[in-house]
Amino acid sequence: QHRLLASLGADLGAKDGGVGAGGGSSRRLTLIYGYSMGGLQAYEWAVAFPEAVDRIAVVCGASRCGELNRVFLRSLEAALTADGCYDPQTDTFRGRPTRGLAAFSSIYAGWGVGEAWYVERSYAAAGYETADDFVTRSYLPAFAQCHPSDLLAQVRAWRSADVAAHAGGDWEAALQRVRARVLLMPCDGDKYFTLPEARKEAAALGVRCSLVPICSPAGHRAGDP
């Protein structure tokens, strides 16, 4: 993480715009934008390297993986590893887990958009005739060609994300490390990174944070760039 930020131009040897390790003026990253897991990463850098970041914009993301989010991710891992191609001894796949990927995609479809997307048939405005048509033409093909080991790695990295690791498990203390201005844009229908959780983050960040919710039946996908 340190090397990556340095490669982007941040002088991590200096604090608050002072003199860097190389003797020159330090450079801070003007803005880190993150959607979804990118939001987790934006927070990670703002907490781990507060002197290197001026602003972060977190869209449909959060500073940690919440409990409801963990339940969702657990179901994804269970679906994928239930496929007969999965070898629990080596934690690898001996072949392509077609059924596991289909189950993974189908579960994702129930969480990736807001409740209103289905209940109010908002999918129709996006060109889908029914909820099943949306799942079949949107989610199933989206994951069909993914590498299953990559998906497992993504799920596990997502589940373990928590800036509290930088403050001995104290989440609020971790957020107090942030020196950047924070634009926090959760969606009111997001089931992963919920609006109530975002409000708690904004309260912990105080005046550094601007909370600007997105109102959309698309849920988490409302922030998809």
Side-chain angles (χ1 to χ4, degrees), residues 100-154:
L101 287 168
F104 183 101
S105 306
S106 297
I107 294 171
Y108 228 112
W111 288 75
V113 293
E115 177 183 343
W117 184 263
Y118 294 113
V119 175
E120 298 177 9
R121 297 174 55 88
S122 298
Y123 54 76
Y128 300 96
E129 294 184 2
T130 65
D132 285 337
D133 180 39
F134 169 69
V135 174
T136 300
R137 291 201 288 126
S138 180
Y139 274 92
L140 294 184
F143 291 102
Q145 301 305 315
C146 291
H147 195 294
S149 294
D150 286 346
L151 292 177
L152 276 186
Q154 176 184 350

Side-chain angles (χ1 to χ4, degrees), residues 28-34 42-43 45-47 49-58 175 177-185 201-202 205-212:
R28 297 165 61 89
L29 299 180
T30 302
L31 171 67
I32 299 174
Y33 167 87
Y43 265 121
W45 284 342
V47 171
F49 308 106
E51 74 281 0
V53 183
D54 278 336
R55 302 173 187 83
I56 65 172
V58 178
L175 290 181
R177 290 172 50 86
V178 175
R179 296 293 175 264
R181 297 287 300 175
V182 179
L183 174 61
L184 186 55
M185 298 184 68
E201 283 185 352
L205 289 164
V207 296
R208 297 187 300 279
C209 181
S210 296
L211 178 64
V212 185

Side-chain angles (χ1 to χ4, degrees), residues 6-91:
S7 74
L8 295 174
D11 187 341
L12 303 178
K15 296 182 181 295
D16 301 323
V19 178
S25 296
S26 68
R27 293 182 57 193
R28 297 165 61 89
L29 299 180
T30 302
L31 171 67
I32 299 174
Y33 167 87
Y35 161 67
S36 190
M37 288 182 70
L40 294 168
Q41 186 64 67
Y43 265 121
E44 173 70 17
W45 284 342
V47 171
F49 308 106
E51 74 281 0
V53 183
D54 278 336
R55 302 173 187 83
I56 65 172
V58 178
V59 181
C60 294
S63 61
R64 62 181 174 180
C65 179
E67 292 301 311
L68 178 62
N69 203 337
R70 290 175 184 273
V71 172
F72 160 63
L73 296 172
R74 178 175 178 170
S75 68
L76 290 182
E77 182 167 358
L80 198 53
T81 57
D83 192 287
C85 291
Y86 176 70
D87 180 2
Q89 298 300 317
T90 61
D91 194 28

